[in-house]
Amino acid sequence: MIKQALLGILCGAAVLTVGILIGHYGIEKSSDSSPSWVKDVAKDVDEDLIQQFMSEVDNIEIQENLRELTKVPHMATTAGDEVTVQFMLKRWQDPENGLDAAWREEYKVYLSFPDPDNPNKVTVANTVLHTVREKEKTYTPDQDDPAVVQPYAAYSPAGNPKGKLVYANQGKPSDYDHLNQTTDLRGTIAIVRYGGAGRGAKAINAAPYGVIGVLVYTDPLDINDGLMSDVNETYPHSWYLPPSGVERGSFNSDFGDLLTPYLAAKEETYRIPTENITGIPPIPIQPIGFEDAYILICELGGGAAPNDWQGGFNCTYNYGGPGFKPTSAFNNSDVKMDIFNHETTTNSSNVMGVIRGSVEPDRYVIYGNHRDSWVHGAIDPSSGTSVMLEITRVLGRMVKQGEESRGERRSASFCFELDGSSSCPSLAGKWRPRRSIIFGSWGAEEFGLIGSAEYTEDYFTKLSERTVAYINVDIAVFANATLRVSGMPSMQNVIFQATKQVSAPGLSSTSVYNNWIRAGSDYAAFVHYLGITSMDMSYTYDRSKTNARIYPAYHTAYDTFDYASKFIDPGFTSHQAVARTAGNILIRLADSLVLPLNYADYAESLERYLEVAVNLYEEQLHARNISMEPLKLAVASFRRAADHLNQVIQSSDLPNQSPLMVRKINDQLMLLDRAFLNPLAFPDKYAFRHVIWASSSAGRPTFPGLADAFANADWEKAHYHVSVLSQAIDGAANILTDVI
Amino acid sequence: MIKQALLGILCGAAVLTVGILIGHYGIEKSSDSSPSWVKDVAKDVDEDLIQQFMSEVDNIEIQENLRELTKVPHMATTAGDEVTVQFMLKRWQDPENGLDAAWREEYKVYLSFPDPDNPNKVTVANTVLHTVREKEKTYTPDQDDPAVVQPYAAYSPAGNPKGKLVYANQGKPSDYDHLNQTTDLRGTIAIVRYGGAGRGAKAINAAPYGVIGVLVYTDPLDINDGLMSDVNETYPHSWYLPPSGVERGSFNSDFGDLLTPYLAAKEETYRIPTENITGIPPIPIQPIGFEDAYILICELGGGAAPNDWQGGFNCTYNYGGPGFKPTSAFNNSDVKMDIFNHETTTNSSNVMGVIRGSVEPDRYVIYGNHRDSWVHGAIDPSSGTSVMLEITRVLGRMVKQGEESRGERRSASFCFELDGSSSCPSLAGKWRPRRSIIFGSWGAEEFGLIGSAEYTEDYFTKLSERTVAYINVDIAVFANATLRVSGMPSMQNVIFQATKQVSAPGLSSTSVYNNWIRAGSDYAAFVHYLGITSMDMSYTYDRSKTNARIYPAYHTAYDTFDYASKFIDPGFTSHQAVARTAGNILIRLADSLVLPLNYADYAESLERYLEVAVNLYEEQLHARNISMEPLKLAVASFRRAADHLNQVIQSSDLPNQSPLMVRKINDQLMLLDRAFLNPLAFPDKYAFRHVIWASSSAGRPTFPGLADAFANADWEKAHYHVSVLSQAIDGAANILTDVI
């Protein structure tokens, strides 16, 4: 009985234990368990998903995107541009693989066009001895499209200057100055080659010397590695520029709509009087092909120009008498320019698309490229647009698939419209990014980065408060040799991380540049005006194989699908590698728990700048009682703060911390660059506010404002910039440190 | 056996059930239960704690604070100022009821002082007929302190002008213009009364007419309800100004250090050349008492001035011949000013203190007041400083008590120094605010809001990114009649909520003003330069009982503890009511889950501004093809967005939402005002960037930039401001809406 009782107790105890175990582990505790969002807020980037994304990126899809985009010329605001707007909208609104939402935004912007009924003309002599070709020679049917715009210089004034021709090298101030020593330039027409100075600057620099018109051409030495013949050397036989090829372009110096500085160019927006526009040519200027430039330059009289003014023609480049040689058939002839360009304000569209973030919808990663081209723009910009469309196709599908399987497709857009902040169901299906992703297909970039600049003006505060980073892929593939990424130093790490995962030719020699001196593409407004961490990416040349200053068909009628698919990236694998790399970085920026930005790399850049500045300037500044100590202290304090923050990130168990503590760190990382903005530091440089990356004419790898002030021996301004920089870098360090 | 077996099974089942129940309910599930921070992030403001705070605010403590602070004069950067610095530090570093940390921050600023060895003199005639009193008459021993600074006009240049006297009313442009119609003002000295124009403006307006010096005094009509006699009427018999009382003041027009615009005034900071300073008197100016002004004005010759130029003296105010009446003993005499002011750059301190936030340490509520006075400054600013010290005493104690009971006092400061973001234990004891609280005791406010302005320049980006609101309590009690709160309209709600909980005389007639036209105290830099939601609070007059333009002892040697305790707030209950109200608001801003800011009230203000603008300007703007439609659309869109956000907040179960969703809303509320900043909108107004609240000379209750442009018939600028405003208000609406 005792045994039985003991057994009973034992059994009972065992049963009780089993019961306790079942009760404790077997039954979900509904009342005590964590809210559903606890897991969501701690979620980090999913490496499998990145792999899946990369495997789905398809080179043939990119090729077909390009074929579609380049069917017709799509210069900004033309009928062809509208075709691309509709194409982007159709793709981004596609129910199978589109985005959550897509729409167009219009700005009424100031553009400059030639007159189709009165084409610009350049002729030699009063009784015409030579007429410069009005349109490029055609090799394929698409180049015959009547929508191919005549080569012209946007924002060149109309006019009919006539005068003796001179050769002024690249049209730099020093070139005109040199020429002026021996030649009276008053009343002359100057011919200059591309390179060395901005397009518009070639005319702006000329006017003070009395030059009344400028011709500009691309020298075969600068673009074609010297080759000139379309019989067997240039396109359609190679990637080189045919003799009649002409680089079009915008000849203004600032970015954004010229009539609405700092204001979004809407219908009723205040516009400055056109006579107040600065930075555009004061005299007519017209680009021509080297076929015609050859005829003009080789007939020039006067003395021989210096060695470094000589180009690829098989003749001596003379200064010009002014005018032609006495032995030339053109002797005593003038060159006459008849320029009929006109300006107009007209609507240009950005196409916008979004994938709404699930956990932090009010944090944006922006990915953009312009849509407008000069002619067919297969490389510039449609290579980038094709890549963007492939990225959105794959990401869009991942988002839509999730919804589909859960029958939530309708609710996503429904929530999006209504404000998903509070009442929306979780939209997480197969995938939804932690942060929101915004795609921008900018309009009218070719006229001066207009679409992206207007966008940043329109949404200044919102973008400034919420944007994590901006990724720009304009010309995705200049050449298929190697990947080049330019970016803020804080992005170096995530760029390396992504490139290591993409296998493609040339990727081993990836080079990352930390420099944003030139306002070359749509990242300009994001970097300089908004202070948003940005990068720009492309496949590019093997510099041991070509000296071309850019791909030869740039801004000409030859930048077509045929050219791109035959000579730039046959098979589209370089396009694919760019799409994989850019998408990889995009997903990391959108999904990482802690933003993959590293300010120790930024500190390194500042230290390098400081070292150069100290070496070049300290002695002379010290002699004028200007101390560089505050700048040294600021850089040191930035370094300490950056290292400290890295250490905090590494030593913390962030997935288990309050999401507000993680957000605190992410805000430090996101907003850091805003501290470098000073809207008053560069009163003469439109929209340049970032005191580290602003443009500089001094050409020194150091702080731009200080370098320029020093170059001009303006000691008040040099001292001012030391203070501006110290305060900005101290301010940035304050963002990275935790002390109030 | 079957029965036994059944019983056994039954028992076993029962035991199992008990076991399951114990297992499920009896044992804490450590692995599955929510992380500890889940409750913290959802915590809202604790009403009991607010009640406890208010009950602990003590009027006698405030009185004793004031007694201590006013022992010696504490003009900026003097020895007396240093005494108050040490006092603040001692209080804020107190182990029993101090803050987490307190420290001083110094700026080297440009100040102006009289020469103690060469007092400024004003005399009548070449052989001296009358000498204006150099120092005020004393009634109590503290007024005999040698540190009482002679009355002077800070930033008046030194000089020795001598000329015939004229009376120029308030020194407005229209006053000088009127006087100039009948009187040749070249070489004259003008006497003017305070009011109607800024201090410095009275000299700036005079100079173009050839006036060479200015005397300024306070007319008994404007300050004393007409009373003049210190035998039985004025202080020490009442709050009215004795005849020898003189209002000191800063005579500059801009705020912040004059030599370092937009830069924090550190040791090595770039300083503009002093000749480039704008907005200070170009000719000597000196304030005098009405005792002396009476003697001068009643002897003036020339015609009688208009009715509205007449003041409280029992004589006719004449224009001046120029000079005195033929019948006066002063006939033919000049007035001579000998002004020996000098400028100097010297270190001024802000004293800073913080209570670190527990849940959102990177969100700041800032509470500030200046510390420097002109003389003893019992009211201005020490009434406010006494209130601030009482608030920090009670809050500090609540924080320290919590730590004490948990033995955590050391760890709090330890964590604070090291960066508490990741490795610190929870600091929540009895109380720790959700957000960080920063207290600022600003230096050199009297010279032009210098300490607070330098602080905002020094920490611009950090403050801009993280500051929820700024509370300013400068003069806490002007008079003990009624509470007056000025603030951004978004704060109206929380102000009402707090005032309803404070019982005190006059509180029923609380009036809230939404207007920040005047840069009257340290909130200026926070509002205008940083766009931070701000408020300013004081007890003030019953306007049915006095017409005094300010409390009569303002900026004089009579603003002492004796004066404050006898005539301004006997018993210090009005001080107590201010401390309770301000502290109540402070706790709500620091502790509320959702920030207590309401933008529907802001929309109402914008709608009122718009209505005025449309009524006053639309017809004439329309006639010049300037449409106000964009502005109307922007205000309507702001209204919709504000109402929508309110609805989202009210209809959401925010305590149970992801804290990142709550933060999203709080960021919208916090950052909204930043959208109204435009650093280029007012190029001629130093640091005014807020396009809604900027100062305006047009005197219309509407958008300042538009009003001024319209008043000057500058149609280009009017159109520009319509666009600036539309873009800013649209941008603000974008912050409140959820669409990307």
Side-chain angles (χ1 to χ4, degrees):
Chain A
M1 188 65 201
I2 287 179
K3 194 177 161 190
Q4 209 170 4
L6 275 176
L7 204 71
I9 289 171
L10 220 66
C11 276
V15 169
L16 185 70
T17 305
V18 169
I20 289 174
L21 290 173
I22 292 173
H24 188 60
Y25 295 107
I27 302 175
E28 188 85 352
K29 236 178 206 178
S30 65
S31 63
D32 276 4
S33 75
S34 300
S36 63
W37 49 260
V38 169
K39 265 189 196 154
D40 294 340
V41 299
K43 215 180 146 209
D44 209 337
V45 67
D46 177 350
E47 291 292 341
D48 291 342
L49 186 126
I50 288 183
Q51 289 303 331
Q52 190 200 328
F53 165 81
M54 293 201 298
S55 73
E56 288 186 19
V57 167
D58 189 311
N59 52 333
I60 303 307
E61 292 276 352
I62 298 174
Q63 172 189 300
E64 294 313 306
N65 289 341
L66 189 69
R67 195 191 303 274
E68 187 69 32
L69 284 165
T70 56
K71 273 191 177 154
V72 291
H74 46 287
M75 184 165 59
T77 75
T78 62
D81 186 24
E82 181 61 24
V83 171
T84 62
V85 167
Q86 295 302 335
F87 180 59
M88 299 300 294
L89 284 171
K90 179 166 154 269
R91 288 289 300 272
W92 286 355
Q93 292 171 344
D94 186 282
E96 299 304 322
N97 49 32
L99 308 174
D100 286 338
W103 64 93
R104 72 193 293 162
E105 300 197 2
E106 289 193 326
Y107 298 102
K108 191 173 167 187
V109 301
Y110 184 72
L111 304 183
S112 160
F113 296 102
D115 183 345
D117 300 327
N118 267 316
N120 295 341
K121 277 190 177 33
V122 178
T123 47
V124 174
N126 307 328
T127 55
V128 178
L129 293 177
H130 177 74
T131 301
V132 165
R133 183 187 279 276
E134 275 172 27
K135 283 209 170 186
E136 288 143 316
K137 182 173 165 186
T138 60
Y139 301 95
T140 59
D142 53 355
Q143 293 159 13
D144 281 326
D145 193 314
V148 172
V149 72
Q150 183 199 14
Y152 76 110
Y155 303 107
S156 160
N160 311 88
K162 195 175 118 179
K164 296 281 183 285
L165 191 68
V166 294
Y167 172 60
N169 193 27
Q170 295 179 312
K172 302 189 295 286
S174 58
D175 293 331
Y176 291 112
D177 189 54
H178 174 82
L179 188 59
N180 193 49
Q181 317 249 312
T182 54
T183 312
D184 182 355
L185 296 177
R186 287 174 298 174
T188 61
I189 306 279
I191 183 166
V192 300
R193 55 195 171 114
Y194 273 121
R199 293 191 193 99
K202 293 171 192 291
I204 293 169
N205 299 338
Y209 294 94
V211 175
I212 56 171
V214 178
L215 301 176
V216 56
Y217 78 103
T218 308
D219 196 277
L221 189 69
D222 299 322
I223 201 81
N224 272 4
D225 295 316
L227 302 181
M228 289 182 62
S229 160
D230 69 346
V231 175
N232 54 5
E233 293 175 335
T234 72
Y235 181 81
H237 309 287
S238 76
W239 82 326
Y240 289 118
L241 184 65
S244 71
V246 184
E247 177 184 324
R248 296 152 184 81
S250 175
F251 281 63
N252 68 356
S253 316
D254 293 337
F255 58 84
D257 177 51
L258 291 173
L259 294 185
T260 59
Y262 303 108
L263 293 170
K266 300 186 177 176
E267 181 70 27
E268 301 283 2
T269 300
Y270 169 71
R271 286 169 165 79
I272 62 171
T274 52
E275 59 268 29
N276 291 1
I277 295 175
T278 55
I280 59 172
I283 52 176
I285 180 167
Q286 171 73 17
I288 63 174
F290 66 75
E291 174 185 68
D292 284 313
Y294 176 75
I295 290 168
L296 297 176
I297 286 178
C298 289
E299 296 298 310
L300 276 177
N307 274 347
D308 59 343
W309 288 33
Q310 300 297 318
F313 298 146
N314 57 358
C315 67
T316 299
Y317 291 52
N318 294 327
Y319 289 131
F324 300 102
K325 294 182 218 183
T327 58
S328 165
F330 298 161
N331 180 27
N332 270 329
S333 295
D334 286 334
V335 166
K336 182 155 187 280
M337 299 170 64
D338 292 293
I339 306 301
F340 302 102
N341 297 345
H342 64 282
E343 291 79 34
T344 179
T345 54
T346 179
N347 279 335
S348 169
S349 292
N350 292 336
V351 179
M352 307 302 304
V354 298
I355 302 177
R356 189 181 169 84
S358 56
V359 176
E360 304 183 76
D362 58 337
R363 288 296 176 267
Y364 309 152
V365 182
I366 308 182
Y367 181 113
N369 179 30
H370 67 102
R371 197 186 55 255
D372 66 306
S373 56
W374 280 114
V375 190
H376 296 85
I379 300 301
D380 180 8
S382 304
S383 62
T385 309
S386 302
V387 162
M388 176 160 68
L389 281 171
E390 177 59 1
I391 292 174
T392 57
R393 181 188 70 85
V394 178
L395 295 183
R397 199 152 147 264
M398 282 157 68
V399 171
K400 299 279 178 183
Q401 277 180 338
E403 288 169 19
E404 206 167 356
S405 66
R406 299 169 43 155
E408 276 176 7
R409 188 179 306 158
R410 281 188 58 83
S411 71
S413 58
F414 175 73
C415 282
F416 181 78
E417 280 156 26
L418 262 193
D419 182 327
S421 63
S422 59
S423 56
C424 272
S426 160
L427 299 179
K430 184 184 178 78
W431 175 71
R432 179 163 288 280
R434 179 182 183 89
R435 304 181 179 89
S436 294
I437 301 177
I438 303 180
F439 293 94
S441 170
W442 315 122
E445 188 263 8
E446 293 296 2
F447 289 83
L449 321 179
I450 294 178
S452 57
E454 298 310 303
Y455 176 73
T456 60
E457 288 168 351
D458 204 0
Y459 296 96
F460 182 84
T461 307
K462 186 164 200 161
L463 296 177
S464 169
E465 292 173 0
R466 299 184 184 169
T467 309
V468 161
Y470 175 68
I471 299 174
N472 196 66
V473 181
D474 178 348
I475 297 175
V477 182
F478 286 89
N480 60 354
T482 181
L483 186 74
R484 179 185 60 192
V485 189
S486 307
M488 250 62 149
S490 41
M491 280 187 126
Q492 201 167 285
N493 242 357
V494 67
I495 291 166
F496 282 141
Q497 211 174 353
T499 51
K500 264 188 276 178
Q501 295 185 314
V502 180
S503 61
L507 266 182
S508 56
S509 61
T510 298
S511 47
V512 176
Y513 297 96
N514 299 327
N515 217 318
W516 290 94
I517 296 300
R518 297 185 55 232
S521 188
D522 290 303
Y523 52 76
F526 290 90
V527 172
H528 297 297
Y529 189 49
L530 278 166
I532 287 173
T533 306
S534 300
M535 52 160 287
D536 182 78
M537 180 190 299
S538 56
Y539 244 74
T540 186
Y541 326 100
D542 179 345
R543 276 294 171 203
S544 69
K545 295 198 180 137
T546 179
N547 286 316
R549 44 179 282 276
I550 195 163
Y551 72 95
Y554 174 70
H555 286 196
T556 73
Y558 307 114
D559 187 355
T560 60
F561 181 80
D562 180 67
Y563 180 87
S565 57
K566 281 191 186 139
F567 300 111
I568 298 290
D569 188 21
F572 287 85
T573 52
S574 294
H575 283 77
Q576 186 181 35
V578 169
R580 284 176 171 160
T581 314
N584 187 315
I585 295 170
L586 176 64
I587 296 173
R588 288 180 189 282
L589 287 164
D591 271 0
S592 295
L593 178 65
V594 177
L595 288 172
L597 302 175
N598 185 338
Y599 284 95
D601 293 327
Y602 217 122
E604 204 177 303
S605 295
L606 295 178
E607 284 160 354
R608 274 204 304 269
Y609 268 24
L610 178 66
E611 197 187 335
V612 173
V614 167
N615 286 340
L616 291 175
Y617 310 139
E618 187 169 38
E619 197 181 317
Q620 292 199 52
L621 291 178
H622 185 75
R624 284 157 186 95
N625 273 321
I626 303 169
S627 168
M628 293 186 75
E629 287 308 312
L631 191 51
K632 292 180 195 172
L633 290 171
V635 171
S637 129
F638 186 96
R639 158 63 70 185
R640 268 196 316 278
D643 289 346
H644 176 65
L645 184 62
N646 269 354
Q647 187 236 307
V648 167
I649 293 172
Q650 277 150 29
S651 65
S652 305
D653 177 22
L654 291 173
N656 291 316
Q657 287 259 332
S658 152
L660 292 175
M661 289 303 170
V662 182
R663 170 61 79 89
K664 172 171 163 287
I665 289 172
N666 281 339
D667 276 359
Q668 291 177 290
L669 297 169
M670 173 178 88
L671 295 170
L672 187 276
D673 259 296
R674 313 295 193 276
F676 289 122
L677 296 184
N678 185 325
L680 307 171
F682 307 105
D684 302 328
K685 290 181 186 168
Y686 180 74
F688 279 95
R689 298 179 165 195
H690 198 300
V691 301
I692 308 297
W693 309 120
S695 71
S696 158
S697 48
R700 299 288 194 174
T702 186
F703 308 109
L706 178 58
D708 284 358
F710 189 91
N712 296 325
D714 186 338
W715 307 111
E716 289 281 312
K717 196 173 256 186
H719 193 175
Y720 170 70
H721 273 284
V722 169
S723 294
V724 162
L725 286 162
S726 310
Q727 180 158 311
I729 298 171
D730 266 333
N734 281 336
I735 295 298
L736 293 178
T737 53
D738 201 51
V739 177
I740 286 164
Chain B
M1 188 63 199
I2 285 178
K3 193 177 163 193
Q4 210 170 2
L6 275 176
L7 204 68
I9 288 170
L10 220 65
C11 276
V15 169
L16 185 71
T17 304
V18 170
I20 289 173
L21 290 173
I22 292 174
H24 189 62
Y25 295 107
I27 302 175
E28 188 85 353
K29 235 180 208 178
S30 64
S31 61
D32 276 2
S33 75
S34 299
S36 64
W37 49 259
V38 169
K39 264 188 196 154
D40 294 340
V41 299
K43 214 180 145 205
D44 209 339
V45 68
D46 177 351
E47 292 291 342
D48 291 342
L49 186 126
I50 288 182
Q51 289 303 331
Q52 190 199 327
F53 164 82
M54 291 201 301
S55 73
E56 287 185 19
V57 167
D58 189 311
N59 53 332
I60 303 306
E61 292 275 353
I62 296 173
Q63 172 188 299
E64 294 312 307
N65 289 342
L66 190 68
R67 196 190 302 275
E68 188 66 33
L69 284 165
T70 56
K71 273 190 175 154
V72 291
H74 46 288
M75 182 164 63
T77 76
T78 62
D81 187 22
E82 181 60 24
V83 171
T84 60
V85 167
Q86 295 302 334
F87 179 60
M88 299 300 292
L89 283 171
K90 182 168 153 268
R91 287 291 301 272
W92 286 355
Q93 291 171 344
D94 187 283
E96 300 303 321
N97 50 34
L99 308 174
D100 287 337
W103 63 92
R104 72 194 292 162
E105 300 197 1
E106 289 193 326
Y107 298 101
K108 192 173 165 187
V109 302
Y110 185 71
L111 304 183
S112 159
F113 296 103
D115 182 348
D117 301 327
N118 268 317
N120 296 340
K121 278 188 176 32
V122 178
T123 49
V124 174
N126 307 330
T127 56
V128 177
L129 293 177
H130 177 72
T131 302
V132 165
R133 183 188 279 274
E134 275 171 25
K135 283 209 168 185
E136 288 142 317
K137 182 174 166 186
T138 61
Y139 301 95
T140 59
D142 54 355
Q143 293 159 14
D144 279 327
D145 193 313
V148 172
V149 71
Q150 183 199 13
Y152 77 110
Y155 302 106
S156 161
N160 311 90
K162 197 175 117 179
K164 296 282 184 283
L165 191 69
V166 294
Y167 172 61
N169 193 26
Q170 297 179 312
K172 303 189 295 285
S174 59
D175 293 332
Y176 289 112
D177 189 55
H178 175 82
L179 188 59
N180 190 50
Q181 317 249 313
T182 55
T183 310
D184 182 355
L185 294 177
R186 286 173 298 174
T188 61
I189 307 279
I191 184 166
V192 300
R193 56 192 172 115
Y194 274 121
R199 295 192 192 97
K202 292 172 193 291
I204 292 169
N205 299 338
Y209 294 95
V211 175
I212 57 171
V214 177
L215 301 176
V216 57
Y217 77 103
T218 310
D219 197 279
L221 190 69
D222 297 323
I223 201 81
N224 272 3
D225 294 316
L227 303 182
M228 286 182 65
S229 162
D230 68 347
V231 175
N232 54 3
E233 292 174 335
T234 72
Y235 182 79
H237 309 287
S238 75
W239 81 327
Y240 289 119
L241 183 66
S244 71
V246 183
E247 178 182 323
R248 293 151 186 81
S250 176
F251 281 63
N252 68 356
S253 316
D254 293 338
F255 59 84
D257 177 50
L258 291 174
L259 294 185
T260 59
Y262 302 108
L263 293 170
K266 300 187 178 176
E267 182 69 27
E268 301 283 1
T269 300
Y270 169 70
R271 286 170 164 78
I272 63 170
T274 52
E275 61 266 29
N276 290 2
I277 296 174
T278 55
I280 58 173
I283 52 175
I285 179 166
Q286 172 71 18
I288 63 175
F290 66 75
E291 174 185 67
D292 285 313
Y294 176 74
I295 290 169
L296 298 176
I297 287 177
C298 289
E299 296 299 310
L300 277 177
N307 273 348
D308 59 343
W309 288 34
Q310 301 297 319
F313 299 146
N314 57 358
C315 68
T316 299
Y317 291 52
N318 294 328
Y319 290 130
F324 299 103
K325 294 182 217 181
T327 58
S328 165
F330 298 160
N331 180 28
N332 269 329
S333 294
D334 287 333
V335 166
K336 181 154 186 281
M337 300 171 64
D338 292 293
I339 306 301
F340 301 102
N341 296 345
H342 63 283
E343 291 81 33
T344 180
T345 53
T346 180
N347 280 334
S348 169
S349 293
N350 292 335
V351 179
M352 307 302 303
V354 298
I355 302 177
R356 189 181 168 85
S358 56
V359 176
E360 304 184 74
D362 58 336
R363 287 295 176 268
Y364 310 152
V365 182
I366 307 182
Y367 181 113
N369 179 28
H370 67 103
R371 196 186 56 255
D372 67 305
S373 57
W374 280 113
V375 191
H376 295 87
I379 300 304
D380 179 8
S382 303
S383 62
T385 310
S386 303
V387 162
M388 177 160 67
L389 280 172
E390 178 58 2
I391 291 173
T392 58
R393 182 188 71 83
V394 178
L395 295 183
R397 199 152 147 264
M398 283 157 67
V399 170
K400 299 280 179 183
Q401 276 179 338
E403 288 169 19
E404 207 167 357
S405 66
R406 300 169 43 154
E408 276 176 7
R409 190 182 303 160
R410 281 189 56 84
S411 71
S413 58
F414 174 74
C415 282
F416 179 77
E417 280 155 26
L418 261 194
D419 183 325
S421 62
S422 59
S423 57
C424 273
S426 160
L427 299 179
K430 186 185 177 80
W431 176 71
R432 179 164 289 281
R434 179 184 184 86
R435 305 180 178 89
S436 295
I437 303 178
I438 302 180
F439 293 95
S441 170
W442 315 121
E445 188 262 8
E446 292 296 3
F447 288 83
L449 322 179
I450 294 178
S452 56
E454 297 310 302
Y455 176 74
T456 59
E457 288 168 351
D458 205 0
Y459 296 97
F460 182 83
T461 307
K462 188 164 199 159
L463 296 177
S464 168
E465 292 173 358
R466 299 184 183 168
T467 309
V468 161
Y470 176 68
I471 300 174
N472 196 66
V473 181
D474 179 348
I475 297 173
V477 182
F478 286 88
N480 61 354
T482 181
L483 186 75
R484 178 185 59 191
V485 190
S486 307
M488 249 64 151
S490 40
M491 280 188 125
Q492 200 166 287
N493 241 357
V494 67
I495 291 166
F496 283 140
Q497 209 175 354
T499 52
K500 264 187 274 176
Q501 294 185 315
V502 179
S503 60
L507 266 182
S508 57
S509 61
T510 297
S511 48
V512 176
Y513 298 95
N514 300 328
N515 217 317
W516 290 94
I517 296 299
R518 295 185 55 231
S521 188
D522 289 302
Y523 51 76
F526 290 91
V527 173
H528 296 297
Y529 189 47
L530 278 165
I532 287 173
T533 307
S534 300
M535 52 158 289
D536 182 78
M537 180 191 298
S538 55
Y539 245 76
T540 188
Y541 327 99
D542 179 346
R543 278 291 172 206
S544 69
K545 294 196 180 136
T546 179
N547 286 317
R549 43 180 280 277
I550 194 163
Y551 71 97
Y554 175 70
H555 287 196
T556 73
Y558 308 114
D559 187 354
T560 61
F561 182 80
D562 181 69
Y563 180 86
S565 58
K566 282 191 185 138
F567 299 111
I568 298 291
D569 188 21
F572 287 84
T573 50
S574 293
H575 283 77
Q576 186 181 35
V578 170
R580 284 176 171 160
T581 315
N584 186 316
I585 294 170
L586 176 63
I587 296 174
R588 289 181 189 282
L589 287 164
D591 272 0
S592 296
L593 178 65
V594 176
L595 288 173
L597 301 175
N598 186 338
Y599 284 95
D601 293 326
Y602 217 124
E604 204 177 303
S605 294
L606 294 179
E607 284 160 355
R608 273 203 305 267
Y609 268 25
L610 178 66
E611 195 186 337
V612 172
V614 167
N615 286 340
L616 291 176
Y617 310 139
E618 187 170 35
E619 196 181 319
Q620 291 199 51
L621 291 179
H622 185 75
R624 284 159 187 93
N625 272 320
I626 303 169
S627 167
M628 292 187 75
E629 286 309 312
L631 190 51
K632 293 183 196 171
L633 290 172
V635 171
S637 130
F638 186 96
R639 158 63 73 187
R640 267 197 315 278
D643 289 346
H644 176 65
L645 184 63
N646 270 356
Q647 186 236 308
V648 168
I649 293 172
Q650 277 151 29
S651 65
S652 305
D653 177 22
L654 291 175
N656 291 317
Q657 287 259 332
S658 153
L660 293 175
M661 289 303 170
V662 182
R663 170 62 78 89
K664 171 171 165 284
I665 289 171
N666 281 337
D667 276 358
Q668 291 177 292
L669 297 169
M670 173 177 89
L671 294 171
L672 187 276
D673 259 296
R674 313 295 193 275
F676 289 122
L677 296 184
N678 184 326
L680 307 171
F682 307 104
D684 301 328
K685 290 181 186 170
Y686 181 73
F688 279 94
R689 298 180 164 194
H690 198 300
V691 302
I692 309 299
W693 309 120
S695 73
S696 158
S697 48
R700 299 289 196 173
T702 185
F703 309 108
L706 178 58
D708 285 358
F710 189 91
N712 297 324
D714 186 339
W715 306 110
E716 288 281 312
K717 198 174 256 188
H719 191 175
Y720 170 70
H721 274 285
V722 170
S723 294
V724 162
L725 286 162
S726 310
Q727 181 158 311
I729 298 170
D730 266 333
N734 281 335
I735 295 297
L736 294 178
T737 51
D738 201 52
V739 177
I740 288 166

